[in-house]
Amino acid sequence: MYKQDKKPISVAVHPGLRRILLKNPTQESLSTIIEYQLFEQASPTLADDILRLLPSWEQQALEGNEVLAGLIQYMSQQSLSFIKNQKIILANLLRIRILASTPGIISFPATEIQENLINFLKSSDILADLPELEVVSFSANEIKPLSSDLTRFRLTPHSRRYIQNLFHPERREAILSVLAYITKNYPLISTCRQAYALMLSLDNPDIWENHPFCVRLIANRFWDNKIKKTIEA
C-alpha cells in the first residue's frame, strides 16, 4: 500500500516534531511520516515514544481514528526490532490497528474494562456462541485429531499444543476483527464490554491454547460438524 518505486532519503526529525506527528495521526501527518521515513531512524527514544503513545492510540482507535490504522500498517512494514518486548507490543499494535479500521465508536468507558479486566472476562467465553463468530471456520480435518478429547470434554497437554497451532496469525486476526466489530456495533453494551475484554486478554499469542474462549470456539465447530453429519446421514 505504501510501496514506492524509489526509496526516499531518510530525513532527521527532531524528537519533539516526531512526537507531534505520531500523537494524533491525520492524513497529513501520515504523509509526512512516510516522506521522512520516520521509522528508518530506529532509536531507543523512538521506541519510548511508541510505548508512551499506546494508551492514547488505543483510545483513538476506539473512537474511530481510521488514519491510525494506516500508520500502524505502515509501521508493520518497517523493522521494529528496536522495541523491547516486541511480541507483546506487536500484539498491542495489531489490536489497535484492527479497532481503528473497524467502523464505529465504543459506547462505554474503555478504562473501566482495562482496570477491571478479570471481572469483565467472567463467562466471556460464551461470546464464542454468537453467530458473528461463525465466520471463523475450522475444517473437519483440522479438528479431527481433537475428536476424542472434545467428546470426553477433557483436553490433554498434547491437544492444547495442537490447538495453539490452529490459531495461526491469519486466524487470530480474523477472530480479533470479529471481536472488534462486536465491541463497536453489538446492540447489548454488556456484550460489547466482554468483546473488548476478550481482545485485551488475547494480547499474548502464546496463551490462546488455554484460553476458554478459544477452546469453546473450536468445540462449537466440532459439535456443529457432528450435527451436520448426523442430519446429512
Side-chain angles (χ1 to χ4, degrees), residues 65-85:
N65 184 348
E66 295 183 16
V67 177
L68 181 58
L71 170 61
I72 295 175
Q73 181 183 349
Y74 173 70
M75 287 173 59
S76 69
Q77 297 171 356
Q78 315 304 310
S79 173
L80 300 179
S81 58
F82 59 91
I83 299 178
K84 294 180 180 179
N85 301 317

Side-chain angles (χ1 to χ4, degrees), residues 150-165:
L150 289 172
T151 302
R152 291 184 291 114
F153 299 98
R154 187 174 67 84
L155 293 173
T156 64
H158 175 77
S159 292
R160 291 192 180 275
R161 287 192 295 272
Y162 179 79
I163 286 174
Q164 182 68 30
N165 293 329

